[in-house]
Amino acid sequence: MEMEDRMESQRPTGMSKEVLISEKTGSLGCCGWFIVIIVGVFTLLLFPFTVWFCLKIVQEYERAVIFRLGRITDKKGKGPGIFFILPCTDSFVKVDLRTVSFDIPPQEILTKDSVTVSVDGVVYFRVNDPIASVANVSNADFATRLLAQTTLRNVLGTKNLAEVLSDREGIAHSMQSNLDEATDNWGIKVERVEIKDVKLPHQLQRAMAAEAEASREARAKVIAAEGEMNASRALKEAALVIAEAPSALQLRYLQTLNTIAAEKNSTIIFPLPMDMISHFMRK
């Protein structure tokens, strides 16, 4: 036991999960094999009765991790379908391979520019390696949920408010990469991460709304000023054209009267030539 503890302490931290599993699937030893042989003989002698305890069934979406005298018998899970175990020495754990989704509870996060926001999300994951999910972690589902919460806090803590509001896809991709790398030794594959909602304080919402309204009003004034400038240029060009042909002004008068008459207006306009008015002004 002391030798095993010493070897465990000297194990490198970056050891892969395949090495960890291979150490767990070691030999049973002489005593272990003797017990297995005795149990196998009794199982064969009492076969009509023990067959109901030896045959097990797992579904298409499940795998069985078999332990024989406390050790994993194979590097891969059994199933789907029927498999055989010894009644007294073997035990097994069923692992569900279907995709599991869970909501990340709303997290109060302080962004990089010192703004407090509440963010929640959803994570989709599945068991990729049944042996690692049973042998390397006590509860892979619960551990993944806790890790998702801390990862959300760590990732959003490095972003400012503008990035949190506009770059949700990049944040989700970064979270997925971090989670997938951290849960690889647990036999977990994180398939997708989504940011559901970002809630801002009410005072900040009102301030942002006032800022957006002021920005829209400023753009509207600029557009109106540009329209007035374009209209004045067009009127100037029209005045130059009319000045070259005085009869064009009379045609413009007639066109204006035609437009007023089409609207069924009771107002009557009598255009007077400017030459006549200037004659009376000289007198």
Side-chain angles (χ1 to χ4, degrees):
M1 181 64 68
E2 294 180 357
M3 180 66 68
E4 292 181 357
D5 294 340
R6 190 178 299 109
M7 292 175 63
E8 190 74 22
S9 62
Q10 293 177 356
R11 177 182 297 160
T13 57
M15 184 173 293
S16 63
K17 63 180 181 180
E18 289 80 4
V19 178
L20 295 177
I21 294 173
S22 64
E23 293 181 358
K24 293 179 175 63
T25 57
S27 176
L28 297 176
C30 297
C31 183
W33 280 114
F34 178 75
I35 295 174
V36 170
I37 292 173
I38 294 298
V39 173
V41 170
F42 277 101
T43 302
L44 292 176
L45 293 176
L46 303 175
F47 182 73
F49 302 99
T50 58
V51 65
W52 307 106
F53 302 97
C54 296
L55 294 179
K56 301 296 179 181
I57 300 175
V58 292
Q59 303 296 332
E60 180 69 28
Y61 53 84
E62 294 177 331
R63 296 295 183 271
V65 180
I66 300 177
F67 293 88
R68 178 164 294 165
L69 295 178
R71 290 185 175 273
I72 298 175
T73 59
D74 198 354
K75 294 182 180 180
K76 293 183 180 180
K78 296 292 185 180
I82 301 175
F83 62 94
F84 179 83
I85 64 172
L86 293 177
C88 299
T89 60
D90 293 357
S91 61
F92 68 96
V93 178
K94 289 184 179 180
V95 179
D96 196 331
L97 302 183
R98 292 176 293 183
T99 299
V100 179
S101 62
F102 65 89
D103 291 330
I104 302 176
Q107 304 292 314
E108 294 289 339
I109 300 169
L110 186 65
T111 61
K112 189 175 181 180
D113 50 355
S114 301
V115 178
T116 302
V117 295
S118 178
V119 183
D120 58 353
V122 60
V123 178
Y124 300 86
F125 74 94
R126 60 180 174 85
V127 176
N128 191 31
D129 188 349
I131 303 296
S133 66
V134 173
N136 293 347
V137 62
S138 61
N139 191 335
D141 181 85
F142 184 68
T144 304
R145 292 172 185 268
L146 292 182
L147 185 62
Q149 298 180 22
T150 57
T151 304
L152 178 63
R153 287 178 172 272
N154 293 336
V155 171
L156 293 183
T158 61
K159 307 290 184 180
N160 54 38
L161 181 60
E163 293 175 342
V164 172
L165 295 177
S166 61
D167 192 20
R168 293 191 180 187
E169 184 176 354
I171 294 173
H173 181 71
S174 178
M175 283 189 59
Q176 179 183 352
S177 300
N178 294 339
L179 282 174
D180 198 19
E181 182 180 358
T183 58
D184 184 59
N185 289 334
W186 301 344
I188 299 296
K189 173 64 177 177
V190 179
E191 296 181 338
R192 190 178 182 88
V193 178
E194 292 291 340
I195 302 299
K196 291 176 60 177
D197 190 16
V198 179
K199 296 181 180 179
L200 303 177
H202 294 290
Q203 295 180 353
L204 182 59
Q205 292 181 12
R206 289 194 295 267
M208 294 178 66
E211 181 182 0
E213 184 177 359
S215 178
R216 287 193 297 269
E217 290 181 356
R219 288 197 299 268
K221 291 180 179 179
V222 170
I223 293 173
E226 291 178 353
E228 292 290 340
M229 182 177 62
N230 294 333
S232 62
R233 290 177 180 175
L235 290 175
K236 178 182 177 181
E237 294 176 359
L240 294 176
V241 173
I242 293 175
E244 295 177 357
S247 59
L249 182 60
Q250 187 66 24
L251 294 175
R252 182 59 181 167
Y253 286 155
L254 296 176
Q255 185 178 3
T256 304
L257 290 175
N258 187 21
T259 303
I260 295 173
E263 296 177 356
K264 297 181 180 180
N265 198 338
S266 60
T267 304
I268 300 175
I269 301 176
F270 294 98
L272 296 176
M274 296 300 295
D275 297 337
M276 183 181 298
I277 297 176
S278 61
H279 177 70
F280 285 105
M281 290 178 63
R282 285 195 299 269
K283 290 184 178 181

